[in-house]
Amino acid sequence: MRDYKLIINCEYVNETGILVNHVLKADTARKPQVYDKFMFVSKQHFKPIVIEIRDIVEVAMLPGMHVVCDGEEVDEADDIKETFYSFLIED
């Protein structure tokens, strides 16, 4: 069961090598912690995006337990807590 709505404010490198700011949203069963790594895989992006949580900004006690985080793209793909194939990308 997906108990948490993960919302990550982050920057990652796009197809042209430019650092872009986006918000990634996904449902997860585990509460994210600082330094957790998550992988986001999409046909619309040229490679998987690995984001490490740098800060927990807010945990809203709303239905679905929204967890807002700041994250940063990292190259290391070890210790990934979860891989998302279904997620939203917002500007």
Side-chain angles (χ1 to χ4, degrees), residues 43-57:
K43 291 179 183 178
Q44 287 76 30
H45 199 266
F46 71 105
K47 68 177 180 82
I49 304 164
V50 178
I51 301 292
E52 183 175 80
I53 302 300
R54 296 300 175 144
D55 189 25
I56 306 293
V57 178

Side-chain angles (χ1 to χ4, degrees), residues 47-73:
K47 68 177 180 82
I49 304 164
V50 178
I51 301 292
E52 183 175 80
I53 302 300
R54 296 300 175 144
D55 189 25
I56 306 293
V57 178
E58 179 182 357
V59 178
M61 303 303 279
L62 301 171
M65 290 290 294
H66 290 70
V67 180
V68 180
C69 307
D70 287 332
E72 181 177 308
E73 183 177 26

Side-chain angles (χ1 to χ4, degrees), residues 18-83:
I18 297 172
L19 197 61
V20 292
N21 189 27
H22 287 293
V23 176
L24 302 175
K25 295 182 178 184
D27 294 332
T28 182
R30 60 183 311 278
K31 184 176 180 182
Q33 304 293 321
V34 174
Y35 301 118
D36 280 354
K37 292 178 190 170
F38 296 98
M39 182 181 291
F40 297 85
V41 180
S42 170
K43 291 179 183 178
Q44 287 76 30
H45 199 266
F46 71 105
K47 68 177 180 82
I49 304 164
V50 178
I51 301 292
E52 183 175 80
I53 302 300
R54 296 300 175 144
D55 189 25
I56 306 293
V57 178
E58 179 182 357
V59 178
M61 303 303 279
L62 301 171
M65 290 290 294
H66 290 70
V67 180
V68 180
C69 307
D70 287 332
E72 181 177 308
E73 183 177 26
V74 294
D75 293 328
E76 307 87 34
D78 57 322
D79 282 336
I80 291 175
K81 301 298 181 189
E82 190 168 353
T83 300

